[in-house]
Amino acid sequence: MLVTLFFCLFCLLFQQYPGMNQLSSSLGGLSLQSSPQPESLRPVDLTQERNILPTTPVWAPVPNLNVDLKKLNCSPDSFRCTLTNIPQTQALLNKAKLPLGLLLHPFRDLTQLPVITSNTIVRCRSCRTYINPFVSFIDQRRWKCNLCYRVNDVPEEFMYNPLTRSYGEPHKRPEVQNSTVEFIASSDYMLRPPQPAVYLFVLDVSHNAVEAGYLTILCQSLLENLDKLPGDSRTRIGFMTFDSTIHFYNLQEGLSQPQMLIVSDIDDVFLPTPDSLLVNLYESKELIKDLLNALPSMFTNTRETHSALGPALQAAFKLMSPTGGRVSVFQTQLPSLGAGLLQSREDPNQRSSTKVVQHLGPATDFYKKLALDCSGQQTAVDLFLLSSQYSDLASLACVSKYSAGCIYYYPSFHYTHNPSQAEKLQKDLKRYLTRKIGFEAVMRIRCTKGLSMHTFHGNFFVRSTDLLSLANINPDAGFAVQLSIEENLTDTSLVCFQTALLYTSSKGERRIRVHTLCLPVVSSLADVYAGVDVQAAICLLANMAVDRSISSSLSDARDALVNAVVDSLSAYGSTVSNLQHSALVAPSSLKLFPLYVLALLKQKAFRTGTSTRLDDRVYAMCQIKCQPLVHLMKMIHPNLYRIDRLTDEGAIHVNDRVVPQPPLQKLSAEKLTREGAFLMDCGSVFYIWIGKSCDNNFIEDVLGYPNFASIPQKMTYLPELDTLSSERARSFITWLRDNRPLSPVLHVVKDESPAKTEFFQHLIEDRTEAAFSYYEFLLHIQQQICK
């Protein structure tokens, strides 16, 4: 079978492809749309134009709306759709063979956010949509909902505009001028008084954990950021530690020192003193500091190797149930005692299997059930897994996935032996402890009549068809949702989507953040192709492929990704008349689609034939499911830059810093030169590759070493040197690092060093033993289409 495939590929390689001018002459008589044809519909012969990657970042396409609506529309950073032209019918969507769905980043950090305080929050009486820039005012007193078309009355209070202090201009209110707004909610939006910010830290103190040394970093980070934890005068905090038993800490104000209370009955966990384990942060601050100073050395001589994670989580649930809040769990090994104990399921010999990858799903439903209980009590569990060996992340991840928590993973973590991971944990904790947080949240997504949502992706619990329960929401959480067209959209030229996130702020205010997105409806296949947002499409497909890997198999998911390219390019090809049979043509809007799918197939989550630890693979899948598009794309298709020739030409200015903007390079070894130095941005990892003949001036000015030979094998930082080259390189890297949910680890990789394998695995346009090169992949796609 393989021999046949390679023979076919060999034959295809030597086929004569028509030149581009021949192709364009064959497409000359085409009119895919009323002239002039948009650039997004320019036909591209992929096998001829192989340097397909643009040298500047790919931006989200701007929907084809009139100027006024364009100005008012939601930012793609918060809310975007895989198709910026919505097909009129499901039949048209089926014909295009493209995924339809939304990518959301609802709680991202915003510098300008209109916050509205009003006694009346104006909503449609029928479908409960919030008034937004895309409603129509029939007259001053009535407005028509843009989702269900009901006509509603304008309340008296809405007639007055607090910004202009004028009366009788409801269309100029901030709610109608901004597609992203935040309302201060009234008591109607509360089932109970807003909860205080409550934080519980649950810490593994087994021998394995103490040996890894994470407690020192965690306690130091907490001491430094204690006053920066989001909250108000009601903020509460608590600590639990566990090995084969569970240790609680009484931090009640008035005690002379923290009191440890040990519960050894892990089969029937109870709280030794329910009232003094979660204490007011400000009233008990000195005791909290005492505990944080003592914890790193308290278990130094432990011989305890067991981990009763399950019972510790049961105790945490009991402790948090009255209020809800955030549980931060630090775990370093497989749970080995009590409820939720796990056995090792990984076979190291199967890590590079090309056939079956097993155990991507959980071994037990204990962690999922516990997460659902937590979610019901408004408690989210965040998991920090600091493991030196297999820890069954596939099972443990459920506790965060279904309680709307986050998952952090530090493989081979060790305080002294792996300093880059230790530094990463420290930086991640700083953001984690101080970033904004929303408690007891729910998110509802609404859409124009005729459209419906059917599958959600992210960390949450689905409470009803369009309502997600989020015990916590943070600015780094992304979501995706698949859509279908239930009824023809022939009677409307526009559709809208609205997401409303109701949450309690850390200051105890009930707030609603609303984003509204408006897109045109089209009736021709050409228009559908013209409006593809290829990055949004690839991120939605990645989410779908994770589900497919777990519910069916990894090979099924891989086949589905390849078929997505085959089907869409085949469908597009059938709309193009006079097409040369041997050409592989895509509209310009889809020209990066095969490249991105190949990148996904080579990503840790989906790759085969390359040794991949099971926990690493599962973590990559977790990241796909909950990262916002902007971060997920760097993980799927990293950015490569040459950095030994940075100049100020085209540089941008950020906070008094000059930031160079080198062009993007395609991910291929042919772009690397031994005289150069290259930076690869993979999202949570940066690699700086130094060529063997790299200029000694650059090495000295940026790395602080006299020549290539003197650069150490393991270098994980750039020194602050007083040279122009150092300033430019550091300025560029600092700019790339800004606003990341996870602090990237930096690795300086010397040409010909053993560490370069990891770097070269990201050069996705090149061939590996286990996977096609980009060109071979195109030929494979073409062969499938011609079948």
Side-chain angles (χ1 to χ4, degrees):
M1 177 69 188
L2 270 175
V3 176
T4 320
L5 179 63
F6 280 117
F7 179 73
C8 295
L9 278 174
F10 184 77
C11 298
L12 276 165
L13 273 164
F14 288 94
Q15 271 184 10
Q16 288 302 304
Y17 287 97
M20 246 346 258
N21 46 4
Q22 194 183 331
L23 175 76
S24 40
S25 65
S26 73
L27 296 171
L30 269 181
S31 166
L32 280 177
Q33 228 185 15
S34 54
S35 57
Q37 182 174 295
E39 166 60 20
S40 57
L41 278 177
R42 180 176 64 82
V44 179
D45 183 343
L46 296 172
T47 52
Q48 293 295 318
E49 264 189 63
R50 288 196 354 258
N51 283 337
I52 210 89
L53 192 75
T55 55
T56 53
V58 178
W59 301 107
V62 179
N64 185 20
L65 298 164
N66 72 38
V67 181
D68 293 341
L69 290 181
K70 235 178 229 176
K71 271 193 298 207
L72 291 168
N73 217 355
C74 189
S75 159
D77 295 336
S78 299
F79 205 3
R80 60 203 273 192
C81 185
T82 56
L83 304 178
T84 57
N85 291 332
I86 302 293
Q88 216 174 49
T89 63
Q90 183 66 37
L92 185 59
L93 176 62
N94 293 346
K95 213 170 178 183
K97 304 282 186 195
L98 292 165
L100 177 59
L102 302 168
L103 282 294
L104 288 82
H105 189 179
F107 200 55
R108 74 187 183 94
D109 291 320
L110 294 169
T111 45
Q112 290 175 307
L113 175 66
V115 177
I116 297 160
T117 309
S118 173
N119 293 332
T120 313
I121 296 175
V122 180
R123 301 175 67 178
C124 173
R125 285 177 60 194
S126 177
C127 69
R128 308 302 290 149
T129 293
Y130 293 81
I131 200 164
N132 61 77
F134 311 107
V135 305
S136 43
F137 284 89
I138 292 165
D139 52 40
Q140 274 196 337
R141 294 282 176 185
R142 291 178 304 157
W143 63 278
K144 188 178 184 181
C145 175
N146 51 322
L147 266 66
C148 74
Y149 312 124
R150 178 185 175 125
V151 175
N152 295 275
D153 294 334
V154 175
E156 190 63 40
E157 190 193 342
F158 202 74
M159 297 299 285
Y160 176 72
N161 187 342
L163 289 185
T164 58
R165 298 194 173 168
S166 57
Y167 189 82
E169 294 181 326
H171 58 286
K172 289 188 178 172
R173 290 266 305 199
E175 301 95 313
V176 187
Q177 292 291 311
N178 298 282
S179 56
T180 291
V181 293
E182 189 150 286
F183 296 99
I184 306 286
S186 61
S187 55
D188 313 356
Y189 290 84
M190 301 173 204
L191 293 172
R192 61 177 185 177
Q195 70 163 80
V198 183
Y199 304 108
L200 176 64
F201 294 87
V202 180
L203 314 173
D204 177 356
V205 291
S206 62
H207 177 73
N208 199 50
V210 173
E211 161 60 21
Y214 84 88
L215 278 168
T216 308
I217 298 171
L218 171 64
C219 293
Q220 193 54 45
S221 296
L222 264 167
L223 283 164
E224 285 168 15
N225 294 296
L226 215 45
D227 291 332
K228 296 178 197 157
L229 283 177
D232 56 16
S233 59
R234 305 177 304 153
T235 302
R236 293 163 74 185
I237 192 166
F239 296 87
M240 287 167 50
T241 54
F242 66 95
D243 40 36
S244 62
T245 57
I246 301 166
H247 326 121
F248 298 86
Y249 296 88
N250 182 348
L251 300 164
Q252 196 65 34
E253 190 191 10
L255 288 173
S256 57
Q257 62 182 61
Q259 221 179 37
M260 186 202 271
L261 306 160
I262 300 175
V263 171
S264 52
D265 184 358
I266 57 168
D267 295 324
D268 187 13
V269 177
F270 63 94
L271 301 180
T273 160
D275 303 327
S276 52
L277 301 176
L278 285 172
V279 292
N280 184 289
L281 173 59
Y282 300 99
E283 290 168 5
S284 297
K285 189 176 282 180
E286 291 314 309
L287 282 172
I288 293 163
K289 285 182 176 176
D290 291 346
L291 178 64
L292 290 172
N293 282 314
L295 264 175
S297 55
M298 263 162 84
F299 298 92
T300 313
N301 300 318
T302 184
R303 297 248 180 278
E304 191 54 78
T305 54
H306 281 297
S307 162
L309 174 66
L313 285 170
Q314 289 174 326
F317 166 67
K318 287 187 174 179
L319 191 50
M320 295 294 276
S321 287
T323 50
R326 182 178 80 190
V327 177
S328 309
V329 178
F330 289 75
Q331 171 74 0
T332 67
Q333 59 178 352
L334 264 176
S336 55
L337 281 183
L341 74 89
L342 298 166
Q343 311 290 335
S344 178
R345 298 190 290 160
E346 183 177 46
D347 176 357
N349 300 322
Q350 292 294 308
R351 283 180 186 165
S352 57
S353 167
T354 50
K355 297 187 177 64
V356 183
V357 176
Q358 291 177 306
H359 309 309
L360 293 171
T364 167
D365 62 0
F366 171 82
Y367 293 97
K368 179 178 179 177
K369 280 181 171 165
L370 187 72
L372 296 179
D373 290 342
C374 286
S375 176
Q377 299 300 323
Q378 304 298 349
T379 302
V381 182
D382 294 339
L383 175 66
F384 288 77
L385 184 59
L386 308 113
S387 67
S388 50
Q389 66 258 336
Y390 172 72
S391 303
D392 199 352
L393 187 56
S395 298
L396 298 183
C398 295
V399 77
S400 300
K401 209 183 284 184
Y402 297 100
S403 68
C406 317
I407 298 158
Y408 294 82
Y409 175 55
Y410 304 85
S412 314
F413 179 88
H414 196 281
Y415 184 45
T416 49
H417 302 166
N418 195 341
S420 62
Q421 284 280 33
E423 187 191 352
K424 177 175 166 54
L425 174 63
Q426 188 183 359
K427 288 181 173 165
D428 288 352
L429 279 171
K430 185 179 178 186
R431 168 134 182 97
Y432 173 75
L433 295 170
T434 58
R435 71 184 176 187
K436 217 168 68 180
I437 184 168
F439 295 102
E440 45 188 352
V442 287
M443 182 165 72
R444 197 182 290 274
I445 306 164
R446 297 179 170 89
C447 50
T448 295
K449 197 177 165 197
L451 292 164
S452 72
M453 286 157 287
H454 58 84
T455 310
F456 296 94
H457 304 275
N459 289 358
F460 50 74
F461 168 58
V462 184
R463 203 182 281 178
S464 66
T465 48
D466 61 351
L467 187 71
L468 307 183
S469 176
L470 307 165
N472 291 179
I473 181 69
N474 70 76
D476 303 325
F479 303 88
V481 54
Q482 290 165 242
L483 297 165
S484 54
I485 302 165
E486 300 272 290
E487 296 169 31
N488 293 353
L489 303 167
T490 37
D491 298 337
T492 179
S493 59
L494 298 172
V495 294
C496 288
F497 305 94
Q498 187 177 81
T499 173
L501 176 71
L502 171 64
Y503 71 96
T504 298
S505 78
S506 56
K507 299 274 188 271
E509 273 185 325
R510 205 74 175 126
R511 289 179 165 229
I512 310 154
R513 187 173 297 189
V514 178
H515 305 280
T516 313
L517 173 68
C518 176
L519 298 173
V521 174
V522 297
S523 56
S524 82
L525 198 53
D527 285 331
V528 177
Y529 286 119
V532 182
D533 181 338
V534 70
Q535 292 195 339
I538 208 77
C539 289
L540 183 66
L541 283 171
N543 274 284
M544 292 159 69
V546 170
D547 283 1
R548 187 79 168 256
S549 303
I550 296 166
S551 64
S552 179
S553 69
L554 191 66
S555 57
D556 250 20
R558 287 172 57 85
D559 290 348
L561 287 169
V562 175
N563 290 339
V565 182
V566 172
D567 292 348
S568 58
L569 295 190
S570 176
Y572 170 74
S574 65
T575 69
V576 182
S577 55
N578 309 328
L579 188 62
Q580 292 285 337
H581 187 63
S582 56
L584 181 63
V585 178
S588 187
S589 61
L590 274 177
K591 68 182 181 184
L592 293 171
F593 195 31
L595 178 66
Y596 286 158
V597 165
L598 178 65
L600 259 186
L601 293 171
K602 293 186 175 187
Q603 220 279 330
K604 265 184 190 164
F606 304 114
R607 70 188 185 190
T608 56
T610 304
S611 182
T612 309
R613 289 168 54 177
L614 193 51
D615 282 343
D616 291 358
R617 189 187 294 279
V618 170
Y619 179 61
M621 290 182 170
C622 293
Q623 282 188 298
I624 286 170
K625 293 285 277 190
C626 62
Q627 283 220 60
L629 179 142
V630 59
H631 303 305
L632 182 50
M633 272 316 299
K634 288 189 186 74
M635 184 178 143
I636 293 170
H637 187 278
N639 290 336
L640 182 67
Y641 310 90
R642 183 164 183 172
I643 59 162
D644 59 313
R645 295 176 177 172
L646 294 177
T647 67
D648 290 347
E649 192 185 328
I652 58 173
H653 293 261
V654 182
N655 305 334
D656 306 329
R657 256 195 355 247
V658 178
V659 181
Q661 297 291 293
L664 283 168
Q665 310 280 341
K666 73 174 190 169
L667 294 172
S668 169
E670 73 182 50
K671 285 295 172 193
L672 303 177
T673 156
R674 293 215 153 151
E675 290 74 44
F678 292 80
L679 171 75
M680 188 189 281
D681 174 2
C682 306
S684 58
V685 188
F686 285 165
Y687 296 100
I688 294 180
W689 182 86
I690 308 288
K692 203 170 187 180
S693 312
C694 186
D695 185 357
N696 286 345
N697 290 334
F698 174 81
I699 292 173
E700 190 161 356
D701 289 353
V702 176
L703 302 179
Y705 289 92
N707 52 36
F708 179 83
S710 60
I711 303 169
Q713 288 288 6
K714 286 189 176 178
M715 186 173 176
T716 57
Y717 72 99
L718 284 190
E720 279 194 37
L721 302 174
D722 193 12
T723 64
L724 184 58
S725 299
S726 171
E727 202 174 301
R728 281 177 175 154
R730 283 184 294 109
S731 176
F732 180 54
I733 288 171
T734 303
W735 175 72
L736 289 176
R737 266 196 166 127
D738 283 351
N739 305 318
R740 298 275 164 117
L742 298 168
S743 172
V745 176
L746 175 74
H747 295 290
V748 177
V749 178
K750 291 169 72 171
D751 184 13
E752 296 180 354
S753 84
K756 74 171 191 180
T757 325
E758 191 68 28
F759 172 81
F760 275 85
Q761 279 180 345
H762 293 288
L763 296 175
I764 55 123
E765 296 205 25
D766 294 345
R767 184 150 194 257
T768 63
E769 283 177 32
F772 288 141
S773 70
Y774 175 53
Y775 187 53
E776 287 169 334
F777 185 62
L778 292 176
L779 297 177
H780 176 65
I781 293 295
Q782 189 174 26
Q783 192 188 35
Q784 296 299 308
I785 289 173
C786 295
K787 266 184 180 175

